[in-house]
Amino acid sequence: MVQLRPRASRVPASAMVDEGQPASEEEEAAEHGLLLGQPSSGAAAEPLEEEDGEGDDEFDDEAPEELTFASAQAEAREEERRVRESVRRDKTLLKEKRKRREELFIEQKKRKLLPDNILEKLTTAGQTNIKKSSGKLKEATLQKKKEEYEKGSVSKNAKEKVQKVQSVGQNKSYWALRLKDQDLRDSRQEAAKAFIQNSLYGPGTNRTTVNKFLSLENKRLPVKKAAAQFLNSAWGTQKKQNAKRFKRRWMVRKMKTSKK
Amino acid sequence: MGEFKVHRVRFFNYVPSGIRCVAYNNQSNRLAVSRTDGTVEIYNLSANYFQEKFFPGHESRATEALCWAKGQRLFSAGLNGEIIEYDLQALNIKYAVDAFGGPIWSMAISPHGSQLLVGCEDGSLKLFQITLDKIQFERNFDRQKSRILSLSWHPSGTHVAAGSIDYISVFDVKSGSAVHKMLVDRQYMSVSKRKCIIWGVAFLSDGTVISVDSAGKVQFWDSATGTLVKNHLIANADVQSIAVSDQEDSFVVGTAEGTVFHFQLVSVTSNSSEKQWVRTKPFQHHTHDVRAVAHSPTALISGGTDTHLVIRPLMEKVEVKNYDAALRKITFPHRRLISCSKKRQLLLFQFAHHLELWRLGSTVATGKNGDTLPLSKDADHLLHLKTKGPENIICSCISPCGSWIAYSTTSRFFLYRLNYEHDNISLQRVSKMPAFLRSALQILFSEDSTKLFVASNQGSLHVIRLLEGSFKHLHTFQPQSGTVESMCLLAVSPDGNWLAASGTSAGVHVYNIKHLKLHCTVPSYNFPVTALAIAPNTNNLVIAHSDQQVFEYSIPDKQYTEWSRTIQKQGFHYLWLQRDTPITHISFHPKRPMHILLHDAYMFCIIDKSLPLPNDKTLLYNPLPPTNESDVIRRRTAHAFKISKIYKPLLFMDLLDERTLVAVERPLDDIIAQLPPPIKKKKFGT
C-alpha cells in the first residue's frame, strides 16, 4: 500500500513560519496517525520520516522515490540470508550443547562402574553363580530368622553382597541387598496391614471422630453442654509460639529501657 | 492421720493398646489376651481376675490369632508370617516357625489337640503336627483365591470351615480339598460394592456352620448341602468375632459398634424337642469395635479396640449369686509403670518404647483441707529416652537419689547415669552390661542407691554394686533346684539388709544381703502376690495378694506379726474384699511406724495399726465427720482403715516426704480421646 506523504501547504514563508507549528503539529499528528493507524515496517517508515523532516523545507510536490525491482530483490535476499544464517547458528549451538551433555553422561556412567577388568571377571563368574546364589539367599533368610529368635541379635552372613553390581553382559541385571535392611519392611505384611486398615477404617465404613462420639450424650441432655473436646489445643501452634517469643523479647526490651 | 499436700499428676499420657485376640483355657481357668502392640497377657480368672504373667510386645509382631493347645501350651500367629510358641514357665518365647504363606490371618487347633491349622494371606491352609516340643509342617490344603480370615474345626476333626472374602469353604481334612464353597451375599438382600469379609466362622457338631461378616449378618449354613439355613441381621456395622461354648447351646458375637450379643439354643415351645437359635441378650460395655470374644462355661469375655477387657458372668450359669457374679471390667494395668525418686521429686514414666522423666512442680502457698494451691513452678519434662530396637520395655526403675535409671527389654539391659547441674541434666550410658541381665522382670535400686537388684525371667536374682560410672556384679541368687520360676516382684528394706522376692508359685523368699544368703520363706498362699514392701525400722514385710488379703510378716522374727494374726482371725471387711482392682503399691511413713499406705485403682487407704479393726457391721468408708460432731462419736466410729476416694483412677500413689503425697491419675476420658475412630451412631435429636 502506498502511503501518501502529508503534503506541505503552498503558503508563503512568513505564513509558513507561523503555521510551521500547526503544520508540524499536523505532521506530527499525521505521523502519529501513521504510526497508530497503519502498521508499517520500520524500514519503510524511516525514509518517510526523514523526508517529512525535509518536507518542511522543500515544499516541492515530489513523487515517491522509485525503488527498482533489483534493489528490492537484493534487500529481500539479504533478509533471507540473514535469517538463514541465524537459524544455522542456533542449530549448531544446540548440537554442540547436546554433544557436550552426552559426553558428560558417559563420563559419569564410567565413573560409577567398576574398572573394566573386575567387571569382566564378574560377568564370567556370574553366569554360573546366579542360580546358586538365589538358593543360598533363601537359606540365609531361614537361617537368619531362626537365629534372630535364638540369639536375639542379627547374625551377619558373610555370603551377603553389599555392593550394587550391574552386569555388563546381556540384558540380565540383578543386585544384591542386605537382608537386615529388608527385615521389618516386608511388603506383604504392609499390604496385609493396609487391607485391615482399609476394611475397618477405609471409605465406606461408617466411622466418626471420638469427639463427636463422646459429645452425643451432651447434645441430648436437658441442659445442652459443650462437646467433650471443645477446645482444640492444636490450633495455631505457630502463632502461639511466635506470640510467646515476641512477648519475651518485649519484656526484655522493656526491662532494658526501664533500667536506663 | 495428718495433713498432706498432694501433688496431683495428670501428665502421664498412658494409652494402653487395644485387645486383638482372646483365648480361654478351660482346664486352668486362664485367659490369654493379646494386644495390638504384640504383648500377650495371661489372666488368672480364679485368682480374682489378676494378670499374673505377660510377654512383652515387639513392633513387627502383629498377632492375629491366639490358641491354647493340650497341656497348657500357648501358640500365636501373626502378620509377620510366624507361628510362635510361648514358654509359660520361663516367660519367654520358645521358638518361632515361619509358615511360608505370607501373613497369617487365622489359626485353629484341632479338637484332639494334635494338629494346628493356619490360614494365610495367599489363600492356602497349612496343617502342622504338634509334637512334644515343636510343631512340624505336615501338608497344604487346596489353595483358595483370597486370604483365609477365619477357621474352625468340626468337633470330630474331619472337616474344617474357612471364611474368606465373599465366600466360605468347607474342607475335608483327610484329602485337603474343598468340599463346599458357600457364597455370601455382600449386603443383606441388596447390592453393595464393598466386599463382604467373613470375620469369624464356627463349626458345630451337627454340621451347622455359623458365620459372621462385615455386613452385620450372622448366618447359619448347612455344611452337608452347602446352603444357607438362617440369616440374622444384627448390626449396621461389622460383626467381628464369634465364640461358641463347649456345650454348643450358646454362642456370643461381638460387633464393631461395641455391642456383644448372646445367642442361645432354646426350644420352640415349652415342651417341644425342636430347638432354634434365638438372639437373647445384648450387652453394651464397649464403645469401640469388639474384636475378640470368648465363651467360658460361666461367663462371656469380650475385648476390643477400647482396651477394656470385660468379663460378664452369665446369671443362669453362676451357682452362687454373690459379688463374684458381677461384671468385671479390667482397664488399668495390674503392674506398676511409674517409679519415683523421693529425694529429687522425680517421676519416671514407662511407655512401650520410651521413658519420660518429669520433675514435680512446687508451690509456696498454704491452705486448708480441700483447697487447690496454685503452682509457683510448673512440672518439668526433663528427659525423653527412646529405646533402640523394636522390642517393648519390660520394666524400668529410677534410683531414690535420682542419679541412675535402668530399664530392660527382652534382649538388652540399659543402665544410665544422670548428672544434675543447675536445672540441666546430662545422661551417660553405662556400656557393656552383662548378658545375663537381659529380659529382667523387675528392677529395684537399694535405698542408698549403691546396689541394683535385678530379677530375671529365668528365676535368678542378681545383685550388682553400682560404682561411679561403672558396676560390679556381686552375687546371683539361683532359684531352688529344678524349678524355673520367674520372680515378679521385689522389695528391699530401707536399711539395706533384706531383700524380698516373690515368684509365681512358691512363697515369698527373703534374702539377707549382707551375708548373701536366703534368710527365710514366707509360706505360700494360693493367690498371687500383687504388691510387696518392707517397713523402715521394724523390718516388717507387708504382702498384698490378689484376693485383697494383706499380710504382715516380721523378717527378724521369721513369723507373722500380732496385728496380722488378729486381722486374719477377724477377717477383712466384706467391702474391702469385694474391691475389683488389685493393690499395686505399698509404702510407709518414715515417722509413723503404725501406718501403712496402700492404693489400688479407685481408692487409697492408710491402715493405722493402733486403731481397732472394723467388723462387717461398721461402715468401711467413712470420711472425716464434720467437726461439730462430738469427740465421743468420732472415737466410736474410727477404725483402722482410712480410705479416700478423692483421687481416681489412680495409677500410682506414694509418700514423698512427711507432708507430701504424689498421686498420678489417669482419667478414662483422656484415654478414650486417643483411641481410633468408632462407628457412627445416629441418635434422634442430634
Side-chain angles (χ1 to χ4, degrees):
Chain A
M1 197 168 110
V2 177
Q3 316 287 354
L4 288 173
R5 263 186 315 135
R7 291 166 176 242
S9 52
R10 297 171 190 219
V11 177
S14 55
M16 202 51 216
V17 175
D18 290 327
E19 288 173 84
Q21 280 90 23
S24 61
E25 280 178 357
E26 267 179 51
E27 284 169 357
E28 281 177 25
E31 270 182 28
H32 284 301
L34 200 70
L35 288 166
L36 291 169
Q38 292 93 24
S40 54
S41 65
E46 275 170 338
L48 224 55
E49 278 180 25
E50 285 169 20
E51 281 168 318
D52 279 347
E54 286 167 37
D56 283 341
D57 300 327
E58 27 161 38
F59 30 92
D60 284 324
D61 214 6
E62 285 186 4
E65 267 189 36
E66 270 199 22
L67 288 165
T68 57
F69 180 66
S71 65
Q73 202 180 37
E75 265 187 53
R77 265 201 225 122
E78 269 297 320
E79 270 305 314
E80 259 181 82
R81 199 172 52 81
R82 248 183 279 147
V83 167
R84 255 185 284 141
E85 283 284 306
S86 66
V87 165
R88 210 183 318 142
R89 253 181 281 135
D90 283 337
K91 265 199 195 158
T92 46
L93 272 172
L94 256 178
K95 226 176 176 178
E96 273 188 39
K97 221 178 164 183
R98 253 184 268 146
K99 230 190 214 169
R100 258 183 275 136
R101 280 177 107 202
E102 284 279 346
E103 284 174 8
L104 184 67
F105 286 155
I106 293 176
E107 268 228 38
Q108 282 184 342
K109 213 174 185 181
K110 245 192 180 152
R111 256 184 271 148
K112 260 185 125 181
L113 288 179
L114 299 165
D116 282 329
N117 46 359
I118 299 184
L119 281 178
E120 273 180 19
K121 276 194 204 160
L122 278 173
T123 45
T124 49
Q127 308 285 344
T128 51
N129 273 355
I130 284 177
K131 283 194 184 148
K132 261 202 225 164
S133 68
S134 62
K136 274 185 199 159
L137 225 60
K138 220 185 179 179
E139 279 176 28
T141 332
L142 270 180
Q143 191 64 30
K144 267 175 70 64
K145 287 206 173 156
K146 276 197 194 147
E147 283 178 6
E148 258 187 50
Y149 278 97
E150 281 168 26
K151 285 187 196 166
S153 63
V154 177
S155 61
K156 272 210 184 129
N157 207 334
K159 296 173 201 158
E160 289 171 7
K161 299 177 214 154
V162 182
Q163 284 170 325
K164 207 174 177 179
V165 173
Q166 272 194 347
S167 80
V168 185
Q170 272 66 349
N171 308 333
K172 282 187 223 144
S173 66
Y174 63 92
W175 54 85
L177 298 164
R178 270 202 345 187
L179 281 177
K180 197 174 178 183
D181 306 325
Q182 299 290 306
D183 212 357
L184 296 174
R185 277 181 271 120
D186 191 11
S187 62
R188 278 201 287 190
Q189 195 174 351
E190 296 295 311
K193 285 200 183 131
F195 163 72
I196 276 273
Q197 184 68 20
N198 194 26
S199 52
L200 287 178
Y201 298 103
T205 51
N206 204 10
R207 299 271 169 181
T208 175
T209 61
V210 176
N211 184 17
K212 287 193 189 152
F213 186 76
L214 292 175
S215 314
L216 268 182
E217 288 308 311
N218 290 353
K219 285 192 196 177
R220 298 185 66 187
L221 292 173
V223 180
K224 312 271 181 275
K225 289 204 304 191
Q229 286 170 348
F230 188 63
L231 293 171
N232 185 1
S233 54
W235 179 84
T237 41
Q238 189 59 37
K239 274 192 185 173
K240 283 187 194 158
Q241 263 179 8
N242 291 348
K244 216 162 116 182
R245 232 181 294 147
F246 176 75
K247 193 163 58 168
R248 226 185 301 150
R249 276 197 227 125
W250 187 85
M251 294 288 286
V252 169
R253 241 185 300 142
K254 204 58 182 187
M255 295 304 207
K256 273 199 217 154
T257 51
S258 68
K259 267 191 193 168
K260 281 184 192 168
Chain B
M1 287 297 110
E3 276 202 354
F4 295 101
K5 270 195 208 170
V6 181
H7 289 258
R8 278 183 95 158
V9 171
R10 285 192 177 189
F11 44 77
F12 180 24
N13 194 13
Y14 165 70
V15 180
S17 25
I19 295 180
R20 178 61 188 92
C21 318
V22 159
Y24 175 73
N25 186 330
N26 208 351
Q27 275 115 11
S28 55
N29 203 15
R30 281 183 164 75
L31 189 70
V33 170
S34 98
R35 296 195 179 241
T36 49
D37 64 350
T39 326
V40 174
E41 298 162 351
I42 314 267
Y43 289 85
N44 190 345
L45 296 188
S46 33
N48 206 16
Y49 307 95
F50 180 63
Q51 176 196 321
E52 52 173 22
K53 295 180 192 168
F54 76 100
F55 297 89
H58 196 276
E59 246 175 27
S60 67
R61 234 189 280 155
T63 7
E64 287 285 322
L66 198 62
C67 292
W68 287 97
K70 211 164 46 173
Q72 302 293 309
R73 297 170 75 171
L74 185 62
F75 290 92
S76 84
L79 293 181
N80 57 356
E82 293 176 345
I83 305 173
I84 300 174
E85 179 168 359
Y86 295 91
D87 186 347
L88 292 172
Q89 306 301 95
L91 287 190
N92 58 6
I93 292 178
K94 249 194 210 165
Y95 55 83
V97 172
D98 199 329
F100 296 114
I104 301 179
W105 289 100
S106 53
M107 181 165 74
I109 296 204
S110 69
H112 314 296
S114 53
Q115 286 172 321
L116 190 147
L117 195 62
V118 290
C120 308
E121 165 89 1
D122 58 359
S124 60
L125 278 153
K126 297 182 191 287
L127 190 66
F128 286 82
Q129 189 79 17
I130 304 180
T131 58
L132 271 177
D133 53 346
K134 269 227 160 201
I135 59 174
Q136 202 165 350
F137 177 69
E138 216 181 284
R139 60 192 158 96
N140 268 348
F141 283 13
D142 279 355
R143 197 164 144 188
Q144 299 293 304
K145 279 213 199 90
S146 33
R147 36 178 79 98
I148 311 282
L149 289 164
S150 44
L151 281 180
S152 173
W153 285 79
H154 189 265
S156 65
T158 51
H159 286 83
V160 166
S164 184
I165 302 181
D166 279 336
Y167 64 89
I168 305 170
S169 347
V170 179
F171 287 84
D172 176 41
V173 174
K174 253 213 183 96
S175 65
S177 58
V179 172
H180 287 297
K181 187 165 162 176
M182 286 113 68
L183 290 173
V184 179
D185 281 339
R186 284 190 175 178
Q187 193 79 17
Y188 181 67
M189 300 220 293
S190 63
V191 186
S192 159
K193 269 200 290 188
R194 297 203 85 209
K195 296 201 180 130
C196 184
I197 302 172
I198 314 290
W199 291 113
V201 281
F203 215 141
L204 302 179
S205 42
D206 58 356
T208 322
V209 173
I210 314 173
S211 75
V212 291
D213 55 32
S214 60
K217 323 196 282 287
V218 173
Q219 290 178 312
F220 294 83
W221 306 81
D222 179 17
S223 64
T225 53
T227 52
L228 177 65
V229 171
K230 194 90 166 53
N231 197 347
H232 291 260
L233 178 68
I234 57 173
N236 284 334
D238 314 28
V239 181
Q240 292 181 334
S241 44
I242 178 170
V244 184
S245 74
D246 289 330
Q247 289 93 342
E248 296 193 355
D249 57 356
S250 77
F251 67 88
V252 59
V253 294
T255 65
E257 292 166 340
T259 330
V260 170
F261 289 99
H262 186 202
F263 279 75
Q264 282 177 294
L265 195 65
V266 291
S267 16
V268 176
T269 57
S270 57
N271 46 9
S272 81
S273 60
E274 194 189 321
K275 293 197 170 191
Q276 67 173 16
W277 286 99
V278 172
R279 186 186 74 175
T280 48
K281 300 192 256 302
F283 298 106
Q284 181 80 35
H285 297 303
H286 296 272
T287 50
H288 287 65
D289 311 20
V290 175
R291 298 205 69 196
V293 281
H295 199 308
S296 83
T298 53
L300 302 180
I301 302 159
S302 57
T305 323
D306 62 351
T307 74
H308 304 304
L309 181 68
V310 171
I311 300 158
R312 182 87 187 75
L314 291 170
M315 282 295 133
E316 62 259 20
K317 303 270 172 68
V318 170
E319 281 129 23
V320 183
K321 299 221 187 330
N322 59 4
Y323 192 72
D324 283 338
L327 173 78
R328 301 302 289 260
K329 210 170 185 181
I330 300 176
T331 318
F332 294 104
H334 287 178
R335 308 181 296 132
R336 227 174 11 136
L337 294 175
I338 301 165
S339 35
C340 170
S341 156
K342 295 188 188 176
K343 223 169 73 173
R344 286 191 194 261
Q345 310 223 323
L346 299 172
L347 286 177
L348 183 71
F349 297 140
Q350 175 187 327
F351 291 86
H353 289 283
H354 68 273
L355 295 174
E356 280 184 10
L357 186 67
W358 288 75
R359 191 199 339 252
L360 292 173
S362 55
T363 178
V364 292
T366 51
K368 25 186 241 306
N369 186 20
D371 279 352
T372 311
L373 303 171
L375 282 176
S376 57
K377 187 159 167 284
D378 273 332
D380 218 356
H381 185 181
L382 290 178
L383 184 64
H384 182 109
L385 192 61
K386 275 202 211 150
T387 177
K388 302 188 192 69
E391 294 159 344
N392 286 14
I393 299 177
I394 306 179
C395 56
S396 62
C397 194
I398 185 171
S399 65
C401 66
S403 350
W404 297 93
I405 288 183
Y407 72 92
S408 155
T409 63
T410 319
S411 55
R412 301 176 73 177
F413 186 90
F414 296 86
L415 183 63
Y416 290 89
R417 175 110 182 121
L418 290 172
N419 295 315
Y420 300 87
E421 66 256 347
H422 308 296
D423 272 355
N424 294 348
I425 67 166
S426 63
L427 198 68
Q428 214 182 334
R429 184 159 157 226
V430 176
S431 52
K432 296 203 187 39
M433 298 306 297
F436 55 77
L437 282 181
R438 65 193 176 111
S439 215
L441 282 179
Q442 185 77 336
I443 303 175
L444 194 63
F445 286 91
S446 64
E447 281 296 312
D448 52 0
S449 307
T450 53
K451 294 209 186 72
L452 173 64
F453 305 102
V454 178
S456 79
N457 61 352
Q458 307 295 323
S460 40
L461 207 63
H462 305 279
V463 181
I464 299 195
R465 188 201 294 280
L466 296 171
L467 307 159
E468 190 61 49
S470 68
F471 64 94
K472 190 167 93 95
H473 174 218
L474 270 186
H475 186 73
T476 302
F477 293 107
Q478 294 295 346
Q480 315 292 15
S481 58
T483 58
V484 176
E485 188 192 282
S486 25
M487 297 287 171
C488 306
L489 287 171
L490 291 177
V492 69
S493 68
D495 57 4
N497 288 336
W498 310 104
L499 175 69
S502 83
T504 41
S505 55
V508 178
H509 301 285
V510 181
Y511 297 91
N512 188 333
I513 302 176
K514 285 283 177 312
H515 303 291
L516 291 178
K517 63 184 184 73
L518 178 68
H519 178 73
C520 59
T521 306
V522 181
S524 66
Y525 188 60
N526 42 357
F527 286 91
V529 176
T530 62
L532 210 59
I534 303 184
N537 295 327
T538 53
N539 277 334
N540 288 340
L541 174 64
V542 179
I543 313 170
H545 289 272
S546 70
D547 62 342
Q548 318 294 4
Q549 296 284 341
V550 178
F551 292 100
E552 200 188 11
Y553 186 85
S554 166
I555 297 180
D557 300 336
K558 290 194 197 174
Q559 60 178 354
Y560 288 106
T561 59
E562 269 308 309
W563 181 81
S564 183
R565 286 175 208 270
T566 324
I567 198 163
Q568 283 304 309
K569 229 183 282 180
Q570 188 174 340
F572 281 87
H573 197 275
Y574 72 101
L575 284 178
W576 176 269
L577 295 174
Q578 279 177 4
R579 281 181 303 116
D580 276 353
T581 45
I583 296 173
T584 45
H585 187 58
I586 303 175
S587 58
F588 302 94
H589 197 287
K591 293 279 163 53
R592 300 186 196 148
M594 300 302 272
H595 285 189
I596 305 175
L597 172 72
L598 31 81
H599 81 90
D600 71 1
Y602 294 108
M603 67 104 203
F604 81 92
C605 171
I606 298 183
I607 300 182
D608 190 342
K609 290 189 277 183
S610 55
L611 290 179
L613 296 170
N615 53 11
D616 274 355
K617 293 205 191 58
T618 52
L619 199 62
L620 181 68
Y621 175 51
N622 55 346
L624 208 63
T627 43
N628 50 13
E629 293 255 338
S630 69
D631 265 336
V632 175
I633 295 182
R634 226 193 294 172
R635 247 182 284 138
R636 235 188 272 155
T637 55
H639 59 74
F641 288 77
K642 309 282 180 199
I643 298 179
S644 167
K645 297 192 184 179
I646 308 175
Y647 310 111
K648 53 180 180 180
L650 267 181
L651 284 181
F652 178 72
M653 174 146 236
D654 203 356
L655 203 72
L656 280 181
D657 55 43
E658 293 171 31
R659 312 208 119 261
T660 331
L661 287 172
V662 62
V664 180
E665 298 172 296
R666 186 63 182 150
L668 207 55
D669 284 340
D670 290 354
I671 297 182
I672 296 182
Q674 301 193 37
L675 293 177
I679 293 275
K680 190 180 206 168
K681 279 213 179 100
K682 186 80 186 79
K683 286 237 191 296
F684 179 74
T686 56

